[in-house]
């Protein structure tokens, strides 16, 4: 009877040891999973911070460009003193001189507007070309990775 009780206790101890080992394995697996998720979260958070920073830089750049473009009109007018403009007007002797000056200025304005439009069109074309090239590069990289993954498996 004493031997049966001892055997029963030994069996119970062995069962508890096995349960403990299984629980430890479960704990280790849960810890590894938590570590993996923590790493993925940190990677995603870093990417979001980088994207936010790049967006802020792009916004600042666009604001600077906008202020620069808005400042061109006021800057040119502010850069030319009123006295200089009045002196140039006083040099015009007749209505024909005034008309000729006005025609020349309108032609210059039209030329500058056309040059601006051309520059804007070229910029848009360049942006489209770069976007297309970037898309092609990403597609190519994705295909290469997929092929490498297929070869590796």
């Amino acid at each position: 009877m004493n031997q049966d009780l001892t055997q029963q206790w030994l069996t119970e101890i062995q069962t508890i040891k096995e349960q403990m080992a299984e629980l430890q394995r479960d704990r280790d697996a849960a810890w590894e999973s938590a570590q993996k998720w923590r790493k993925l979260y940190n990677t995603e958070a870093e990417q979001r911070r980088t994207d936010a920073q790049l967006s802020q830089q792009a916004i600042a750049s666009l604001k600077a460009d906008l202020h620069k473009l808005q400042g061109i009109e006021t800057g040119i007018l502010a850069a030319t003193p009123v006295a200089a403009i009045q002196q140039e007007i006083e040099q015009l002797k007749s209505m024909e001189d005034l008309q000729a000056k006005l025609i020349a200025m309108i032609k210059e304005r039209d030329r500058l507007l056309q040059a601006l439009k051309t520059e804007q069109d070229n910029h848009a074309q360049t942006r489209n070309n770069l976007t297309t090239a970037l898309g092609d590069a990403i597609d190519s990289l994705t295909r290469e990775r997929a092929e490498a993954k297929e070869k590796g498996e």
Side-chain angles (χ1 to χ4, degrees):
M1 172 111 167
N2 201 11
Q3 189 175 12
D4 288 338
L5 190 56
T6 305
Q7 186 60 37
Q8 185 179 1
W9 280 105
L10 289 174
T11 304
E12 185 70 25
I13 290 170
Q14 185 61 33
T15 303
I16 291 174
K17 280 183 177 180
E18 289 171 3
Q19 287 174 350
M20 217 166 121
E22 184 178 339
L23 289 173
Q24 286 175 340
R25 283 191 299 273
D26 290 347
R27 180 203 62 201
D28 293 344
W31 178 257
E32 287 177 19
S33 177
Q35 288 294 93
K36 181 184 102 178
W37 283 107
R38 190 173 295 116
K39 182 180 177 184
L40 289 172
Y41 173 80
N42 287 335
T43 302
E44 181 69 19
E46 182 63 31
Q47 182 63 43
R48 298 269 183 220
R49 284 190 290 273
T50 302
D51 289 347
Q53 184 181 17
L54 290 174
S55 295
Q56 289 297 326
Q57 289 173 352
I59 289 169
S61 174
L62 289 172
K63 281 183 179 180
D65 288 347
L66 179 63
H67 289 303
K68 181 180 175 185
L69 289 173
Q70 289 174 340
I72 286 175
E73 294 175 10
T74 58
I76 288 173
L77 293 177
T80 307
V82 174
I85 295 172
Q86 287 176 340
Q87 184 180 9
E88 192 171 337
I89 291 172
E90 289 172 2
Q91 290 177 357
L92 301 173
K93 302 285 185 208
S94 66
M95 184 60 89
E96 289 82 22
D97 290 344
L98 180 61
Q99 287 176 341
K101 183 72 171 175
L102 181 60
I103 290 170
M105 295 188 88
I106 290 172
K107 285 181 179 180
E108 179 66 10
R109 183 206 62 196
D110 290 345
R111 185 189 67 76
L112 290 171
L113 286 173
Q114 184 61 39
L116 176 62
K117 182 174 180 351
T118 301
E119 185 64 29
Q120 288 171 334
D121 291 344
N122 289 341
H123 177 76
Q125 182 64 39
T126 300
R127 186 179 62 238
N128 288 339
N129 290 344
L130 290 173
T131 302
T132 302
L134 182 60
D136 292 346
I138 290 171
D139 290 344
S140 176
L141 181 61
T142 303
R143 278 194 306 274
E144 287 178 16
R145 284 183 178 171
E147 290 171 3
K149 188 175 182 181
E150 288 177 4
K151 289 179 182 177
E153 290 180 354

